[in-house]
């Protein structure tokens, strides 16, 4: 009996060791797929909130990144890849690193989305795709000039200092679906107190019978946060989405807010 109990205990100890080792490896790999800490950008108010679905997940199907390009300019990226779990995380990494590499070579948002489109077609034969928005920004007097390139992603919103919420045009085609997708581009200027807020569809997909409820909630919450810093805006928006979803959103949620630094 003693030998049997010892064997049983040894088996469970070994299983616990293997589980811990596997969890450590998974956690380390996921950390490597996440972008580094947000860069310090002089004159810029910037914040990101990211909430993947699942208790053990740190990386999901949403992608974001922010990086300086040149002495005064920077690029911010947010997107959503098809699929779930490990497959989605791998595609997320491909999208983030491809867009970053394109920026290092001097490409603008439109060119880098086209580069990502080519990479996805080569790697997945059109079976996997994503949506993405690339924001190329540079200081403009006391504000920021932002060039938006959109590939099928929800249109970013502009929260004006006075409380107005404006929707950018958005549009464009999915990235990775066809050889030459039509991509939408436009320019917006953010003055003192303004913020541009980009998000993934997990922020507006709420449970219930009204598919437009999430969009209304986002805009209402955003209008109520006029004048608040980017970190407060993203945190409050995430809290509202979680609360409206009954404590757990249906999909990964990424929120990015950027504007001129507060005085």
């Amino acid at each position: 009996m003693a030998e049997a109990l010892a064997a049983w205990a040894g088996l469970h100890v070994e299983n616990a060791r293997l589980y811990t080792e596997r969890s450590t490896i998974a956690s380390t790999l996921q950390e490597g797929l996440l972008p580094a800490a947000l860069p310090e950008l002089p004159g810029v108010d910037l914040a990101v909130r990211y909430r993947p679905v699942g208790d053990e997940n740190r990386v999901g199907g949403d992608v974001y990144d922010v990086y300086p390009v040149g002495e005064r300019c920077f690029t911010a990226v947010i997107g959503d890849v098809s699929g779930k779990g490990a497959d989605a995380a791998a595609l997320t990494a491909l999208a983030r690193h491809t867009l970053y590499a394109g920026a290092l070579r001097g490409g603008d948002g439109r060119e880098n989305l086209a580069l990502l489109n080519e990479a996805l077609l080569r790697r997945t034969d059109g079976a996997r795709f994503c949506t993405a928005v690339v924001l190329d920004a540079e200081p403009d007097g006391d504000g920021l000039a932002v060039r938006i390139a959109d590939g099928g992603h929800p249109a970013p919103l502009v929260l004006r200092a006075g409380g107005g919420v404006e929707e950018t045009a958005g549009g464009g085609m999915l990235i990775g679906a066809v050889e030459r997708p039509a991509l939408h581009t436009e320019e917006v200027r953010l003055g003192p107190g303004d913020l541009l807020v980009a998000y993934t569809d997990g922020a507006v997909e709420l449970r219930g019978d009204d598919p437009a409820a999430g969009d209304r909630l986002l805009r209402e919450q955003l209008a109520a946060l006029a004048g608040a810093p980017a970190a407060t805006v993203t945190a409050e928006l995430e809290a509202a989405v979680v609360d409206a979803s009954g404590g757990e959103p249906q999909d990964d949620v990424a929120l990015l807010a950027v504007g001129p630094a507060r005085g």
Side-chain angles (χ1 to χ4, degrees), residues 26-39:
S27 178
T28 301
L29 290 173
Q30 289 190 75
E31 288 288 353
L33 294 176
L34 290 170
L38 295 179

Side-chain angles (χ1 to χ4, degrees), residues 8-257:
W8 178 83
L11 177 63
H12 281 271
V13 168
E14 178 64 10
N15 285 339
R17 185 190 68 79
L18 291 173
Y19 178 79
T20 300
E21 181 179 322
R22 185 183 66 177
S23 296
T24 301
I25 292 173
S27 178
T28 301
L29 290 173
Q30 289 190 75
E31 288 288 353
L33 294 176
L34 290 170
L38 295 179
E40 293 290 336
L41 300 169
V44 178
D45 183 21
L46 171 70
V48 170
R49 301 287 290 195
Y50 179 55
R51 186 187 182 95
V53 171
D55 295 334
E56 299 296 325
N57 292 335
R58 297 186 184 182
V59 180
D62 288 356
V63 55
Y64 73 91
D65 207 350
V66 182
Y67 35 84
V69 286
E71 294 184 0
R72 303 176 68 234
C73 305
F74 68 94
T75 293
V77 173
I78 192 166
D80 191 355
V81 308
S82 61
K84 301 288 184 182
D87 288 342
L91 203 63
T92 293
L94 173 63
R96 185 167 68 84
H97 293 305
T98 300
L99 291 172
Y100 180 53
L104 289 179
R105 296 177 61 183
D108 61 18
R110 186 186 186 92
E111 292 168 338
N112 294 337
L113 286 177
L115 177 64
L116 175 58
N117 187 76
E118 181 181 353
L120 288 176
L121 288 176
R122 287 176 178 268
R123 292 291 296 271
T124 68
D125 296 324
R128 303 294 299 278
F129 55 86
C130 74
T131 66
V133 166
V134 179
L135 310 174
D136 294 320
E138 60 181 324
D140 178 23
D142 59 354
L144 285 177
V146 184
R147 296 180 299 278
I148 304 172
D150 195 330
H153 197 77
L157 301 173
V158 176
L159 174 61
R160 296 300 182 185
V165 177
E166 302 172 6
E167 183 171 313
T168 58
M173 297 175 64
L174 293 174
I175 306 300
V178 298
E179 287 190 9
R180 294 179 177 83
L183 302 172
H184 173 77
T185 60
E186 67 177 294
E187 296 186 9
V188 298
R189 187 183 186 278
L190 304 176
D194 294 344
L195 283 175
L196 187 147
V197 178
Y199 58 94
T200 56
D201 55 10
V204 294
E205 290 181 351
L206 304 181
R207 294 179 175 87
D209 299 327
D210 184 358
D215 289 291
R216 289 198 303 271
L217 174 66
L218 186 69
R219 285 161 176 74
E220 291 169 1
Q221 292 292 323
L222 199 55
L225 293 166
T232 299
V233 170
T234 53
E236 291 294 328
L237 289 179
E238 180 190 22
V241 171
V242 171
D243 182 65
S245 302
E248 184 58 49
Q250 300 184 78
D251 197 0
D252 304 327
V253 176
L255 296 157
L256 184 150

